[in-house]
Amino acid sequence: GGDVDYTSLDIVRTEDSLEIETVTQEFRLTSTAGESFDWMVGGFIFQEDIETDGSTFFGNDFRAYGDVLFGAFPNILSTVELLSGLPAGAILSSDNVASTAFEQDNFAYSLFATGDYHFTDKLTATLGVSYTYDEKEVVKDSYRNNDLYSAVDLVPVLGATPLAGLIPSLQGLQFRPPVIDYPNSVENGESDDDKVTWTARVTYQVNDMVNVYASAATGYKSSSWNIGGASRPFPASEAALDAAGLLVANQSFGTRFASPEEAMVYELGLKASFEQGAFNIAIFDQTIEDFQQNAFDGDSFVLTNAGERSTRGIEFDALYSPTDAWLFNLAGTFMDPKYDSYTGASGIGGAPIDLSGEEPAGIHKENVTASATYRFTVGDGITGYVRTDYIYESDVRAAWNVPEEFSREVSTWNASAGLQFTNGVNVQVWGRNINDDEYYVGVFQGVVQSGTYNAFASAPATYGVNVSYEF
């Protein structure tokens, strides 16, 4: 909550509350060590209750802000009030408040089993299977909304007047239109999903130091409900809602929830451990059908399904310690993510676009981290270290609903040094982002500010000292 327009004006404020109660329990039964076969069976129970309450308050400067937007048409908002029969000052009034509460009851359980068959001391095959059931019951209650202007259909009111050409712009100020709550006679607010997933893996111990493996696995994520301001009926429900008399003024359509997503992953890898270090590498190929995508459109988060998203790549990590004093780490991921199919994605200004064949925003194709640590001893029992690390993330578009010049590339150095004394005192000197790397942490469309974009910038070079005492 708080100031969500990110300006010096008091345009829009929000207040939000969230309560989550979660209970989980897992049971496992494993075999005793066998000569050729080991197994494990188990179950997992999940119960979670979520309650949210969010309110949008129109600020004291909202009306004046609207007048400025239509500066070439003085008193236009007063004219619209007169023509639509609204009280004077009703449009963008600081008295306007829109509040919505959600309750979600989520119960899920999983039954799973795995078995390892040792063909030889070096060759092992693993097969696992899991059944998952997930049910959600959701209630939406828009218990307060006195934004009278957002409930006015401007087309019949202004269509025959000289203001007809401004209808689209005036509709942009209908910030909190009426909404349809649920459960209702058409939408029951429930989802009920289940799926069997599996994993298969073969490992081979080449020698005491090297292990290779190949695996294939499926994954599953149940329906995810949009318990936020962007919760709108599916277009397919329009006829039934109309027949039931539930449609409201300025009705819009979108999504109530994102359907389940299903994943298929193949992996081929090697793990090696040596006297002075270790090295792991894996090649992977992942495909997700009906990927659940969440994007901010300048008003609220929009939850949709992308048709299919795939990622192919290679990842590795290495550790090398040439002496007891020195330790070097290097890790990286190089991949080629893309949307195989994604129509109806949210573009600039909320316009639907086709992202099929495009790269997902915010996912770096190249990621590299490296560090070097030197440990030493000073005097009687005083130990210390000096460390530096580097983070690189290749350039990527921040989001598909903001201009492409908003991209993110990370190239950051950090460093630290410390001493640990025998009396329990520890002293650490550190610097983060010491090269003062500048990049966007997040970028999003401005709230009720078409064509404006807000960004969270990276923290500047920061230095500090930590002192602690152990006793």
Side-chain angles (χ1 to χ4, degrees), residues 241-374:
L241 290 169
D242 188 20
L246 294 175
L247 293 182
V248 296
N250 295 325
Q251 180 68 61
S252 62
F253 297 88
T255 64
R256 292 296 197 193
F257 59 86
S259 300
E261 65 177 39
E262 300 182 14
M264 183 74 216
V265 184
Y266 300 96
E267 187 170 328
L268 184 65
L270 176 147
K271 297 179 181 291
S273 179
F274 308 99
E275 183 178 352
Q276 293 179 308
F279 178 72
N280 304 313
I281 188 169
I283 301 171
F284 59 89
D285 184 338
Q286 179 191 68
T287 301
I288 302 176
E289 295 183 0
D290 293 323
F291 176 76
Q292 296 178 0
Q293 182 77 44
N294 204 14
F296 186 72
D297 66 355
D299 179 12
S300 51
F301 286 93
V302 180
L303 188 61
T304 61
N305 286 101
E308 182 175 288
R309 197 182 87 174
S310 63
T311 305
R312 298 171 178 84
I314 183 171
E315 60 183 353
F316 72 91
D317 63 87
L319 179 151
Y320 179 55
S321 180
T323 68
D324 291 340
W326 283 101
L327 178 63
F328 299 93
N329 291 88
L330 178 65
T333 302
F334 301 88
M335 56 186 175
D336 182 24
K338 70 174 182 178
Y339 290 115
D340 300 292
S341 64
Y342 188 11
T343 58
S346 179
I348 295 176
I353 58 175
D354 185 356
L355 291 181
S356 302
E358 301 288 351
E359 297 177 12
I363 299 179
H364 303 274
K365 298 181 68 173
E366 301 168 3
N367 300 263
V368 177
T369 61
S371 67
T373 304
Y374 177 71

Side-chain angles (χ1 to χ4, degrees), residues 26-34 37-42 112 114:
E26 184 171 343
F27 305 91
R28 291 193 179 195
L29 180 64
T30 61
S31 64
T32 57
F37 184 68
D38 299 311
W39 55 266
M40 182 271 294
V41 296
F112 51 86
T114 60

Side-chain angles (χ1 to χ4, degrees), residues 18 36 177 235 276 323 327 400 454 461:
L18 173 65
S36 59
Q276 293 179 308
T323 68
L327 178 63
W400 275 104
N454 298 317

Side-chain angles (χ1 to χ4, degrees), residues 202-225:
V202 176
T203 61
Y204 182 71
Q205 191 76 34
V206 178
N207 52 44
D208 291 340
M209 296 181 295
V210 179
N211 175 288
V212 294
Y213 67 92
S215 68
T218 59
Y220 180 74
K221 184 178 181 180
S222 62
S223 299
S224 296
W225 283 76

